Amino acid sequence: EDKVVQSPLSLVVHEGDTVTLNCSYEVTNFRSLLWYKQEKKAPTFLFMLTSSGIEKKSGRLSSILDKKELFSILNITATQTGDSAIYLCAVISNDYKLSFGAGTTVTVRA
Amino acid sequence: EPEVTQTPSHQVTQMGQEVILRCVPISNHLYFYWYRQILGQKVEFLVSFYNNEISEKSEIFDDQFSVERPDGSNFTLKIRSTKLEDSAMYFCASSVLLSYNEQFFGPGTRLTVL
């Protein structure tokens, strides 16, 4: 069974801090890994990672994939209260199913 | 910006009743998906749909569930005889291509089965 494990489950930081979120996976026939941000309802897409070692960046967020060690990290620098959300990691396998991790709840205090 | 829409936002039903959840995917997208998220739990894949057929489905998607694209715009999830454990947030998603493109999620329908 495909497995996606995120850590930590939750964390609380202060504005301006940097956070690093981890996602490890055991997936048969891996294709891509995706990061989503879930605030009130639906997940919104952040990044899709397919190749190892290539950092994807969007503003204060960045992410990288290590296909040898089977993990990805999501970094958020200079955090703001608007970054408070659940961050979901998901993996697409060759059968095109998207398997989600349980998420990391990030709380940014002013 | 194009977006996936879902109706209703909240549906309350009695156990044993049939419900139909509706989704309008982004217009040029070809692949459609349903996911559910039971309160406090992870998002779970239910089914993917392409070219008027189910492409893939999970173990959760049993005979009680069905999907349909009744016209050129809507994509529906039907639960024939709801159970208490079907209470969850149901998300529809769509993507242009199947695997290497991001899936865009709708806002979700909260289903409450009493």
Side-chain angles (χ1 to χ4, degrees):
Chain A
E1 187 184 319
D2 294 345
K3 205 164 135 186
V4 180
V5 178
Q6 291 186 245
S7 62
L9 286 180
S10 65
L11 71 162
V12 180
V13 298
H14 288 97
E15 272 191 318
D17 289 349
T18 293
V19 299
T20 299
L21 311 181
N22 302 289
C23 175
S24 63
Y25 61 90
E26 289 174 29
V27 172
T28 308
N29 299 318
F30 171 90
R31 292 187 80 101
S32 303
L33 184 144
L34 299 96
W35 283 98
Y36 285 87
K37 179 182 182 183
Q38 185 176 26
E39 293 176 270
K40 292 192 178 143
K41 281 193 174 179
T44 53
F45 173 80
L46 294 175
F47 298 111
M48 183 170 72
L49 303 155
T50 306
S51 302
S52 258
I54 298 175
E55 186 183 51
K56 293 233 174 162
K57 207 166 162 59
S58 174
R60 296 177 292 102
L61 276 67
S62 63
S63 184
I64 197 159
L65 173 68
D66 185 329
K67 285 166 78 171
K68 187 178 170 192
E69 300 297 329
L70 307 184
F71 78 92
S72 173
I73 59 171
L74 175 70
N75 278 319
I76 311 172
T77 58
T79 50
Q80 301 170 358
T81 54
D83 295 326
S84 295
I86 300 172
Y87 290 83
L88 301 172
C89 170
V91 172
I92 294 178
S93 53
N94 276 349
D95 58 6
Y96 307 118
K97 278 189 268 190
L98 200 61
S99 300
F100 281 87
T104 295
T105 300
V106 174
T107 304
V108 181
R109 297 210 195 285
Chain B
E1 191 177 323
E3 57 183 19
V4 177
T5 59
Q6 288 184 243
T7 53
S9 56
H10 190 190
Q11 171 107 40
V12 181
T13 190
Q14 295 288 329
M15 195 167 55
Q17 295 295 305
E18 175 183 284
V19 294
I20 297 176
L21 309 183
R22 291 185 164 78
C23 168
V24 178
I26 294 173
S27 62
N28 64 332
H29 286 190
L30 301 176
Y31 294 86
F32 315 116
Y33 315 83
W34 283 102
Y35 296 85
R36 79 170 185 193
Q37 187 175 32
I38 295 170
L39 189 64
Q41 297 186 25
K42 63 167 71 174
V43 177
E44 299 170 294
F45 169 81
L46 292 178
V47 66
S48 60
F49 190 87
Y50 168 69
N51 200 26
N52 284 319
E53 293 190 333
I54 290 175
S55 305
E56 194 66 41
K57 59 182 181 178
S58 70
E59 306 76 29
I60 303 166
F61 194 88
D62 61 21
D63 293 343
Q64 293 284 62
F65 292 89
S66 62
V67 288
E68 198 177 33
R69 189 150 160 84
D71 53 45
S73 58
N74 288 288
F75 177 51
T76 62
L77 174 70
K78 184 194 286 187
I79 310 174
R80 271 182 252 290
S81 176
T82 48
K83 305 188 280 278
L84 294 176
E85 53 266 36
D86 293 327
S87 294
M89 185 72 102
Y90 288 82
F91 294 109
C92 171
S94 69
S95 64
V96 174
L97 298 175
L98 188 56
S99 63
Y100 279 84
N101 282 59
E102 62 266 29
Q103 297 176 19
F104 289 83
F105 281 73
T109 292
R110 177 160 296 288
L111 176 65
T112 303
V113 182
L114 303 175

